[in-house]
Amino acid sequence: MPYDEGLAQRLRETYENMDYVVEKKMFGGIAFMVNGNMSCGIVNDTLMARVGPERYQEALDRPHAREMDFTGRAMKGFVFVSPKGIENDEELASWVDLSLSFVSSLPPK
C-alpha cells in the first residue's frame, strides 16, 4: 500500500516555512528530513515521529502512539502514531513540534 498522500500534504503544510526541510522517499513511504536528520515520516497511513530517547516514554504515553517496530524490534526514540492520533491539524502539529524539539538539537548531516 502506498503512503497516505493526504497525510503527506498535511505534513508538507506543517513544514512549509522551514528552508532546511527536505522530503525523501524512505521505508516504502516518505520522510521529512531536517538538516539531514529524519523528523517525521509516513508508512502507509501511520505517522512516524522521531522524538529522541529523553521524551520517548512521554510520547508512548500519548493516545494512539506505539513503539516503532518497523524491523520487528522497537526503535528507541521513534514512535508510530495511528491515524486516530493525528485526526486534526493541531494533533499533527504537536507531533511535529515534539520531533523538531529533538532533531533540532542534532548536528546537521
Side-chain angles (χ1 to χ4, degrees):
M1 174 179 171
Y3 63 86
D4 182 330
E5 186 57 48
L7 177 54
Q9 185 57 40
R10 290 174 61 208
L11 279 170
R12 287 180 193 110
E13 292 168 7
T14 303
Y15 286 106
E16 75 182 336
N17 293 321
M18 299 175 206
D19 298 346
Y20 46 87
V21 176
V22 174
E23 190 175 320
K24 185 176 180 180
K25 291 188 180 207
M26 297 178 79
F27 307 116
I30 60 169
F32 290 82
M33 312 295 285
V34 175
N35 289 323
N37 296 294
M38 190 190 111
S39 174
C40 288
I42 307 167
V43 174
N44 298 324
D45 62 351
T46 301
L47 177 73
M48 289 185 299
R50 185 175 187 185
V51 298
E54 291 180 5
R55 298 188 72 188
Y56 181 60
Q57 190 57 53
E58 171 191 340
L60 288 175
D61 291 341
R62 291 176 67 174
H64 310 290
R66 68 182 192 280
E67 292 179 328
M68 182 176 156
D69 56 357
F70 190 76
T71 62
R73 280 184 56 193
M75 295 178 66
K76 299 270 188 215
F78 292 82
V79 296
F80 278 146
V81 183
S82 73
K84 283 206 150 296
I86 50 172
E87 287 181 326
N88 64 55
D89 291 342
E90 292 78 22
E91 291 168 328
L92 180 61
S94 74
W95 282 106
V96 171
D97 289 345
L98 182 60
S99 178
L100 286 172
S101 71
F102 173 68
V103 297
S104 64
S105 71
L106 299 173
K109 288 187 175 181

